[in-house]
Amino acid sequence: MIGMRTQWVYQLRDCPDAEDVEVLAEEEGRPRQILARPRPGAGGLVDGYVLQRVDAQTRTAVYTWVRAGEAEQVTEYLLDLLAEVCPVERAR
């Protein structure tokens, strides 16, 4: 089916002062390249992660921590990082 939602396991790794965690996520297609997740008990702070690898057979996506802070700052950082990795092609 087109657009079918699939359950994925996200492994979130390398966050300072926190253990690695696994969370279930519903996704259409492949997991996103970047992920911002609220830090439990941190009063609005979020952790930013980047996708390291995907295992389609086990439906597992491994993310590595890159930054923590206020949601707006982390989101801006992650989008800048994504733009460096996947630059927009120029129109011809």
Side-chain angles (χ1 to χ4, degrees):
M1 291 179 141
I2 297 175
M4 189 171 86
R5 294 180 90 59
T6 305
Q7 201 167 52
W8 284 83
V9 174
Y10 286 1
Q11 293 181 352
L12 307 175
R13 298 184 175 175
D14 303 329
C15 182
D17 303 322
E19 292 183 20
D20 294 347
V21 295
E22 288 189 355
V23 294
L24 292 176
E26 295 279 331
E27 286 290 325
E28 288 185 25
R30 290 175 53 91
R32 293 174 284 171
Q33 294 293 318
I34 58 175
L35 179 68
R37 181 173 187 259
R39 183 177 282 197
L45 295 180
V46 299
D47 289 307
Y49 295 87
V50 295
L51 184 64
Q52 292 299 305
R53 70 177 185 274
V54 172
D55 184 332
Q57 282 189 300
T58 62
R59 299 218 182 276
T60 301
V62 178
Y63 287 86
T64 299
W65 180 90
V66 292
R67 190 164 185 110
E70 294 180 14
E72 187 174 302
Q73 294 170 338
V74 171
T75 301
E76 184 178 330
Y77 179 83
L78 291 173
L79 291 173
D80 287 344
L81 185 62
L82 182 61
E84 290 175 18
V85 174
C86 305
V88 177
E89 293 184 20
R90 294 183 181 179
R92 295 179 194 224

